[in-house]
Amino acid sequence: MSAMENDQAPWDMSRRGFLKGVGTGAVATGLMQGATDAEAASALRSGKPVGPGAVPITLNVNGTHRWLNAEPSVTLLDALRNRLDTTGCKKVCDRGTCGACTVMLDGDVVYSCSVLAIEAQGRKIVTAEGLGTPEAMSAVQESFVENDALQCGFCTPGFVVATTAFVRDHPNATLEEVREGMGGNLCRCGTYVGITKVAYDLAKKGDA
Amino acid sequence: MKTFEYASPNSLKDALGLLSDTWGETEILAGGTDLLTSIKQDVTAPRLVVSLKEVKGLSGIDSKGGNLSIGATTKLKDLIANEDVQKHFPGLVTAAKNIGSAQIINAGTVAGDLLQRPRCWYFRNGFGLFGMAGGKELVPDGDNRYHAIFGNGGKAKFVNPSSLAPLLIALGAGIDVQGPKKERSVKAADFFSTPKTESEREYALQANEIVTGISIPLSGKKNGIYEVRHRLGLDWPMVAAAVAFDESGGRIRNASVVLGHVAPTPWVAERATAVLNGQSRKAGAQAAGNAAAQGATPLSKNAYKVSQVKVAVRRAIEAV
């Protein structure tokens, strides 16, 4: 699934505009699909039931509009990983306990395994990939490296997102507040000492 | 996860129009923290999921007419951050903070806490609300360490999982419910029920009704809660106690003590209430704890919870 070059998804066009756009020589299947998507998007907006088959969904992931067709039952986590190749968020417990799937929705950390992709439309989704790159890491990412705050690394992207939100919301947090506030993520390797130091130091500096 | 139809209606009327009058055919989605896990676990397999996210007027906190009104889809994080809630109901802030991680608090809603399904591991693993296999009840001889110690004489031996309900009951709150034809308010104390069949749910609500909000009287009562847990980190409490009372001249009056996680419904500890009234806090705390534990009927592996009731009630009173 490729990123959209502008903010308009194909089904946001009027059917008339779509028909005009593809011209009279359009392949019938493409034309049918476009019309169905437009109808599904319109039904969804007017509050009518859609699905259980795939419906068009637009997601704003790390500042880019992405579109996909997915069943309403697809979680945000599965949409990000399996459809949009945004694999920073990890699927571990898939039941809102371990934190490996943590993403930000409009700035709030949530478990993406417990949010439907269709419900995340219109909201700003940020994953670990959206916080920095290997060449230009965020302060939290850099501090994870400096403090050796990872071992196998599988929980790390979720922890990085959770730490970023925690440090932003808790300037000058005490160690106790760090431990409590970061309690929504688990690390089976037990790298908590390093992670706690990342959060504690950055909360003190206030420069996450 | 099994597939389902999905609708996100724009009004309460439209939402009500989509709901089936049979439990399980349709489910209401708010925060999703319990519903989506329940669907993945096959605890429920709805044909249609009705989202409340576009329904206006269901979230927010207002004080009006001597009550604090809390919208059903108010996020737990907004409940915790609200100044009126902090001022009048510090126990509710503690209870909400205890519910879970930042991720859960940011997504979960107030009504969602009341309406979540039991955590009983038999229920969550395909043996139904009563933990049955081959016509036999599995809980009495099984791993019942987290099960009920009160109100467990029938088939239901799970515990009610709500963190907010005990204190809401202690504070005399009302639950606002909108049905297809009429609106009604149910006392929080009457809202929870023990199901007698698998097709019932754990509350006095019809399948085609929607909880729209909660009203708590601004009575000035002091209030607090205490949860006994395995560990300090995020976990389900083994026992919780909520208390609300007036205090004048060093004496407690109009007390209410309600336990959580000990019975299929939140459990009003009437004996503790009787003991507490007229006492000083110091003298009353221990006595009320002991009284609250009286009459418990623990199962084979959870007698330890009876001792925890004594501790939870005492510490809840001391912490107010």
Side-chain angles (χ1 to χ4, degrees):
Chain A
M1 203 65 58
S2 64
M4 288 292 294
E5 292 197 344
N6 58 44
D7 285 358
Q8 191 182 36
W11 48 85
D12 286 340
M13 286 187 199
S14 69
R15 190 195 299 210
R16 189 188 189 88
F18 180 81
L19 291 172
K20 233 167 121 181
V22 290
T24 49
V27 180
T29 49
L31 192 143
M32 288 302 290
Q33 183 60 40
T36 308
D37 282 355
E39 280 164 10
S42 156
L44 186 59
R45 271 196 298 271
S46 65
K48 295 197 173 63
V50 297
V55 295
I57 292 172
T58 312
L59 296 176
N60 178 345
V61 184
N62 298 326
T64 306
H65 282 83
R66 310 285 298 270
W67 59 273
L68 68 153
N69 278 285
E71 293 81 5
S73 55
V74 169
T75 61
L76 177 59
L77 172 63
D78 284 342
L80 288 169
R81 287 185 58 80
N82 302 343
R83 313 292 182 93
L84 302 177
D85 206 27
T86 307
T87 54
C89 43
K90 305 296 185 204
K91 188 170 182 171
V92 181
C93 76
D94 202 26
R95 54 192 286 181
T97 298
C98 74
C101 68
T102 300
V103 302
M104 286 188 205
L105 264 193
D106 291 338
D108 287 336
V109 285
V110 297
Y111 295 131
S112 62
C113 72
S114 299
V115 176
L116 293 176
I118 200 168
E119 290 257 298
Q121 296 193 102
R123 307 184 66 180
K124 289 194 176 98
I125 301 154
V126 175
T127 69
E129 290 96 327
L131 297 173
T133 63
E135 296 75 34
M137 287 191 279
S138 71
V140 168
Q141 288 167 330
E142 219 159 65
S143 184
F144 263 73
V145 176
E146 279 167 19
N147 286 288
D148 198 17
L150 61 155
Q151 189 174 316
C152 86
F154 209 71
C155 70
T156 308
F159 256 115
V160 164
V161 176
T163 308
T164 303
F166 177 83
V167 170
R168 178 198 66 199
D169 296 341
H170 300 84
N172 298 310
T174 63
L175 262 183
E176 198 184 331
E177 285 167 341
V178 169
R179 290 192 187 112
E180 194 184 310
M182 300 282 294
N185 293 63
L186 301 177
C187 169
R188 295 290 306 261
C189 305
T191 60
Y192 297 112
V193 173
I195 297 168
T196 305
K197 189 158 189 312
V198 171
Y200 183 72
D201 286 354
L202 289 178
K204 209 174 227 169
K205 272 202 259 172
D207 69 346
Chain B
M1 186 157 38
K2 277 191 182 138
T3 61
F4 45 75
E5 290 179 52
Y6 166 93
S8 178
N10 299 302
S11 70
L12 192 58
K13 188 164 167 280
D14 287 353
L16 289 162
L18 289 165
L19 294 179
S20 163
D21 58 9
T22 304
W23 283 117
E25 281 188 11
T26 54
E27 294 282 1
I28 295 169
L29 173 63
T33 56
D34 187 40
L35 179 65
L36 297 188
T37 302
S38 298
I39 297 174
K40 290 175 197 176
Q41 293 173 326
D42 274 338
V43 163
T44 182
R47 166 182 56 80
L48 169 69
V49 167
V50 178
S51 168
L52 296 182
K53 79 177 164 60
E54 299 297 332
V55 177
K56 305 283 179 295
L58 284 186
S59 77
I61 300 171
D62 267 323
S63 60
K64 54 183 178 193
N67 287 303
L68 194 71
S69 296
I70 303 170
T73 62
T74 302
K75 300 279 184 200
L76 295 168
K77 68 158 182 161
D78 296 325
L79 180 77
I80 292 166
N82 183 275
E83 285 179 9
D84 285 330
V85 177
Q86 289 171 357
K87 182 175 161 204
H88 300 289
F89 308 117
L92 207 56
V93 174
T94 308
K97 278 184 177 170
N98 282 350
I99 287 173
S101 58
Q103 290 94 328
I104 296 285
I105 301 290
N106 286 340
T109 64
V110 170
D113 172 76
L114 303 181
L115 299 173
Q116 63 183 310
R117 308 301 308 280
R119 306 303 310 172
C120 165
W121 40 36
Y122 292 98
F123 176 57
R124 296 280 170 169
N125 284 285
F127 298 100
L129 270 176
F130 307 134
M132 305 284 288
K136 188 178 179 301
E137 288 181 47
L138 300 174
V139 180
D141 299 320
D143 194 341
N144 52 40
R145 73 182 98 165
Y146 300 128
H147 285 76
I149 56 168
F150 288 102
N152 54 5
K155 280 195 286 184
K157 293 183 169 56
F158 58 83
V159 297
N160 179 283
S162 173
S163 295
L164 304 181
L167 187 56
L168 290 176
I169 293 170
L171 290 165
I175 316 276
D176 303 319
V177 174
Q178 177 73 54
K181 294 211 175 84
K182 60 178 197 293
E183 196 178 358
R184 62 194 178 99
S185 178
V186 191
K187 280 185 186 166
D190 299 331
F191 185 73
F192 297 93
S193 58
T194 304
K196 296 198 170 50
T197 66
E198 285 288 346
S199 57
E200 292 171 50
R201 292 239 167 142
E202 307 82 48
Y203 18 80
L205 191 69
Q206 301 299 311
N208 58 359
E209 291 181 316
I210 293 176
V211 171
T212 56
I214 293 155
S215 299
I216 317 175
L218 291 164
S219 62
K221 277 190 183 180
K222 296 180 176 175
N223 56 87
I225 68 124
Y226 189 87
E227 291 183 355
V228 183
R229 304 194 206 163
H230 255 306
R231 53 193 177 110
L232 273 178
L234 302 167
D235 203 352
W236 295 91
M238 296 179 282
V239 168
V243 297
F245 52 79
D246 293 318
E247 199 172 30
S248 57
R251 300 280 159 188
I252 287 174
R253 300 184 200 286
N254 303 317
S256 182
V257 180
V258 184
L259 305 174
H261 303 269
V262 297
T265 63
W267 192 255
V268 179
E270 278 162 13
R271 293 182 206 194
T273 300
V275 165
L276 205 49
N277 281 327
Q279 292 273 4
S280 72
R281 208 189 286 204
K282 198 164 182 231
Q286 185 72 53
N290 292 342
Q294 281 173 24
T297 52
L299 302 168
S300 60
K301 294 187 175 66
N302 66 5
Y304 73 94
K305 289 178 72 164
V306 181
S307 313
Q308 291 181 335
V309 167
K310 298 178 190 174
V311 175
V313 170
R314 174 168 57 81
R315 289 191 184 166
I317 294 166
E318 287 170 353
V320 167

XYZ file of all heavy atoms in Angstrom, chain B residues 60 71 108 110 230 279 306:
45
model
N -18.096 14.523 29.163
C -17.933 15.803 29.844
C -18.445 15.731 31.274
O -19.216 14.834 31.620
N -20.497 12.372 32.036
C -20.959 11.704 30.818
C -20.396 10.301 30.700
O -19.271 10.032 31.138
N -9.924 4.241 28.048
C -11.093 3.730 28.767
C -12.044 4.830 29.194
O -11.649 5.977 29.416
N -15.713 6.036 31.583
C -16.350 5.858 32.892
C -17.414 4.753 32.829
O -17.423 3.838 33.653
C -16.966 7.205 33.351
C -17.834 7.005 34.583
C -15.852 8.208 33.629
N -1.661 -7.887 44.604
C -0.485 -8.739 44.684
C 0.787 -7.914 44.742
O 1.728 -8.205 45.449
C -0.396 -9.614 43.423
C -0.775 -11.033 43.666
N -0.197 -11.784 44.642
C -1.692 -11.830 43.075
C -0.738 -12.994 44.635
N -1.652 -13.048 43.698
N -18.932 6.248 65.713
C -17.582 5.980 66.204
C -16.610 7.074 65.761
O -16.871 7.793 64.809
C -17.068 4.662 65.610
C -17.776 3.433 66.093
C -17.158 2.908 67.383
O -16.239 3.518 67.940
N -17.681 1.792 67.861
N -10.795 -13.043 52.893
C -11.572 -12.598 54.052
C -10.705 -11.690 54.929
O -11.149 -10.635 55.387
C -12.103 -13.809 54.852
C -12.927 -13.332 56.044
C -12.933 -14.721 53.950
